[in-house]
Amino acid sequence: MGKDTGFIEYKREANGDIPPLERIKNFKEFHSYLNDGERKNQAARCMNCGVPMCQSALRLKGMVTGCPLHNFIPEWNDALYKEQFDMAAWRLLKTSNFPEFTGRVCPALCEKACNLADEGGLENAVTVHDNELYIIERAFASGYMKPEIPKIRSGKKIAVVGSGPAGLAVADSLNHRGHSVTVFERDDKIGGLLMYGIPNMKLDKKIIERRVNLMKEEGVEFVTNADVGKNISAEELLKNYDAVALCCGAKKPRPLSAPGADASGVMFAVDFLKSVTKSLLDSNLNDGAFFDVKGKDVIILGGGDTGNDCTGTCIRLGCKSVTQLEMMPCPPAERAQDNPWPEWPKILKVDYGAQESIAKFGNDPRVYKTTIKEVFQKDGKVCGVKTVQVEFKMVEGKRQLCEIEGSEKDLPADLILVAAGFLGAQEYTAQSFGVELTPRGTVASKEGSYSASTEKVFTAGDMHRGQSLVVWAIAEGRECAREIDEYLMGYSNM
């Protein structure tokens, strides 16, 4: 460790945020950053534990705690404290393809498993997430991040279908190994979930373009508006490439089944977020190619990250009100006894969208144990909803979601955004390759493998594991790339 007593001398100090009422005026990233000296102090807090739970990715009760990438966190914290910035970047990039993405959008599984979080609670954990972002951004600013073009090419060609975090990780890893990689993306811009699924204020799209440009210089080819299974056939890829990696995400949203849900003004959250981001990038929102919520009442079905992103987006667009409905009960403020460290803490958090709603409207937008029972229409358009409180009960030995009698309530609504999770991958691309799907709608593979049921076809990310985190998609992309390399070469040194 860089400083033996760092964790005693320095208190945790995370990056700050621009105040809510100021940041909702635009779609820019809204964090403020510590200066170099303060960041060095935060790195000094890392204890270089004998068992660094932060990087262990242990599986506890079916849930993984710690970093899925197995990042060498104590090593690069030590280098950061010693101002060995190139060393810190080298060790960080050894296990992580895109720290500039995870340093912005990852919920920091590593910090929740930090040994200091065990001793002093989550507010005492090392600022791993912020340190990671500092290291990679300094590496770009200093010129350390230069194209690394393979000196020898293997002659093998790989097609990667989908340019989200998993697809980019597969492409980046295999390209550095010396294979020739082409990425096919059905949208007009590269990035998948990173580009159109995450709002600009969480991840500025210039950050994605910077990485994509670097990958292009290193030899990766990108093809946009390429919808494999529609305007590009699976047969074409199987004929022209030695391996194909399917990384199309889990983009089949769970629909709203309430009466009246066919009304105009009921949208999937992912479609809404994409339309806003695309309009922002294309015209700074001047083309009107999105659902304008200015002065409107918005109901969001779903209390997770996507719902939170919708809340922040709607507030920036000038909505009259925003309400998030969540079927589950409100989480506790502190860890329950059956949720000990280093498990992921199942506690209440107030994310940026909720913070902004509290600042603008004076209330937390989230309403728990509640769902939509009916959608009201006027001339085919949404004009309101009937909500009902719900709870899980054991009925004839089975856990079922039940309505609470007498809890119905009517709310005004001009737009309903459905952010109720996903049902797996959209089938047509997978079906065009003839691969088997699981009952969860993901591409089937043998346990511990990324190989699909069709010869020379592989899969990774949400299309393989279901809806998950960006960090898990990158981790799967790296592992999938290694399996492809071994398939092509008979061995792998990745």
Side-chain angles (χ1 to χ4, degrees):
M1 65 171 51
K3 191 175 181 61
D4 293 352
T5 56
F7 67 98
I8 299 173
E9 294 182 37
Y10 307 115
K11 292 183 178 180
R12 173 186 167 96
E13 187 175 356
N15 288 335
D17 294 333
I18 296 172
L21 294 180
E22 181 66 26
R23 70 192 190 221
I24 61 174
K25 297 176 181 178
N26 56 62
F27 281 83
K28 297 178 181 178
E29 290 187 2
F30 53 82
H31 300 295
S32 58
Y33 301 99
L34 305 184
N35 62 39
D36 294 348
E38 292 168 333
R39 178 57 55 210
K40 178 179 176 179
N41 291 344
Q42 292 305 303
R45 298 186 70 246
C46 184
M47 302 189 299
N48 193 17
C49 309
V51 181
M53 302 296 288
C54 57
Q55 69 179 57
S56 62
L58 293 177
R59 183 170 292 278
L60 301 172
K61 299 180 184 177
M63 180 172 60
V64 172
T65 182
C67 179
L69 289 167
H70 302 284
N71 282 335
F72 303 141
I73 295 166
E75 291 188 36
W76 44 256
N77 272 326
D78 178 66
L80 176 55
Y81 171 74
K82 294 176 179 176
E83 300 184 7
Q84 298 171 342
F85 302 117
D86 288 356
M87 171 67 78
W90 176 61
R91 297 310 286 164
L92 173 58
L93 291 163
K94 191 74 174 176
T95 57
S96 177
N97 297 70
F98 314 118
E100 68 272 30
F101 301 157
T102 51
R104 286 174 164 84
V105 304
C106 185
L109 305 174
C110 50
E111 293 187 15
K112 311 311 185 284
C114 175
N115 279 294
L116 286 178
D118 177 36
E119 292 296 326
L122 295 176
E123 67 280 359
N124 196 45
V126 173
T127 56
V128 180
H129 180 270
D130 295 348
N131 293 358
E132 173 185 12
L133 183 59
Y134 176 91
I135 290 169
I136 190 61
E137 287 301 325
R138 188 181 181 105
F140 272 107
S142 69
Y144 177 84
M145 296 296 294
K146 295 181 175 65
E148 294 184 6
I149 303 172
K151 295 180 181 179
I152 300 175
R153 289 289 180 180
S154 68
K156 303 293 186 180
K157 297 169 59 180
I158 299 98
V160 177
V161 184
S163 68
L168 290 178
V170 171
D172 187 55
S173 300
L174 289 174
N175 179 65
H176 284 139
R177 174 71 166 109
H179 304 307
S180 298
V181 184
T182 302
V183 179
F184 295 88
E185 169 56 53
R186 71 177 179 181
D187 283 323
D188 61 334
K189 290 182 174 61
I190 298 299
L193 166 74
L194 299 167
M195 178 60 68
Y196 285 134
I198 298 175
N200 203 73
M201 56 274 196
K202 281 179 70 174
L203 176 59
D204 193 305
K205 307 315 166 187
K206 293 178 181 177
I207 302 301
I208 303 170
E209 292 168 356
R210 179 180 65 182
R211 174 59 72 167
V212 170
N213 288 335
L214 180 63
M215 292 175 67
K216 287 179 179 178
E217 292 183 67
E218 294 175 332
V220 178
E221 295 184 9
F222 293 93
V223 182
T224 55
N225 300 306
D227 198 351
V228 176
K230 292 187 177 179
N231 63 3
I232 293 182
S233 70
E235 291 77 15
E236 179 183 346
L237 298 188
L238 290 171
K239 177 183 177 181
N240 296 325
Y241 292 87
D242 299 292
V244 177
L246 301 180
C247 305
C248 306
K251 296 182 178 179
K252 185 179 180 181
R254 179 178 283 105
L256 173 62
S257 58
D262 59 343
S264 174
V266 177
M267 296 181 64
F268 288 121
V270 288
D271 295 334
F272 172 73
L273 292 173
K274 177 181 177 179
S275 70
V276 174
T277 298
K278 182 168 173 52
S279 178
L280 179 68
L281 297 177
D282 290 348
S283 68
N284 198 29
L285 299 177
N286 291 321
D287 59 11
F290 62 96
F291 194 103
D292 188 2
V293 302
K294 187 173 183 178
K296 299 183 183 299
D297 296 303
V298 181
I299 302 291
I300 300 168
L301 183 62
D305 290 339
T306 302
N308 176 70
D309 289 339
C310 288
T311 294
T313 299
C314 289
I315 289 174
R316 282 164 176 75
L317 294 174
C319 66
K320 179 181 178 181
S321 71
V322 60
T323 303
Q324 270 184 267
L325 304 181
E326 169 60 73
M327 289 193 301
M328 302 302 292
C330 181
E334 298 180 355
R335 284 182 183 270
Q337 288 187 348
D338 61 352
N339 178 216
W341 176 91
E343 291 180 4
W344 173 264
K346 301 174 185 177
I347 59 175
L348 179 67
K349 66 175 182 177
V350 183
D351 214 330
Y352 75 97
Q355 295 171 2
E356 292 161 2
S357 176
I358 293 169
K360 184 172 177 63
F361 301 120
N363 64 278
D364 192 315
R366 296 168 294 181
V367 180
Y368 294 95
K369 298 175 65 175
T370 303
T371 191
I372 295 174
K373 185 173 184 178
E374 184 180 355
V375 177
F376 300 135
Q377 301 184 20
K378 183 177 181 180
D379 299 325
K381 297 181 179 179
V382 171
C383 63
V385 298
K386 181 183 293 295
T387 67
V388 64
Q389 291 183 343
V390 292
E391 60 183 352
F392 286 96
K393 291 183 177 180
M394 296 301 294
V395 180
E396 297 180 352
K398 296 182 179 179
R399 188 170 182 262
Q400 295 184 9
L401 187 66
C402 304
E403 295 184 5
I404 298 177
E405 188 175 349
S407 65
E408 296 177 350
K409 185 178 181 181
D410 293 349
L411 296 175
D414 302 295
L415 174 66
I416 299 172
L417 297 176
V418 182
F422 297 86
L423 300 174
Q426 294 174 321
E427 293 94 343
Y428 70 92
T429 300
Q431 290 174 346
S432 70
F433 285 91
V435 301
E436 296 178 7
L437 297 176
T438 70
R440 297 175 58 242
T442 57
V443 175
S445 67
K446 293 181 181 179
E447 186 174 356
S449 172
Y450 299 88
S451 178
S453 57
T454 298
E455 176 66 21
K456 75 178 185 181
V457 177
F458 299 79
T459 185
D462 289 3
M463 195 173 193
H464 178 237
R465 67 180 288 113
Q467 177 187 357
S468 191
L469 302 173
V470 168
V471 68
W472 267 113
I474 296 172
E476 287 227 341
R478 291 172 62 88
E479 290 296 319
C480 179
R482 188 186 187 284
E483 190 168 332
I484 292 173
D485 182 47
E486 188 169 359
Y487 168 79
L488 295 175
M489 306 302 288
Y491 75 100
S492 181
N493 61 5
M494 293 175 65

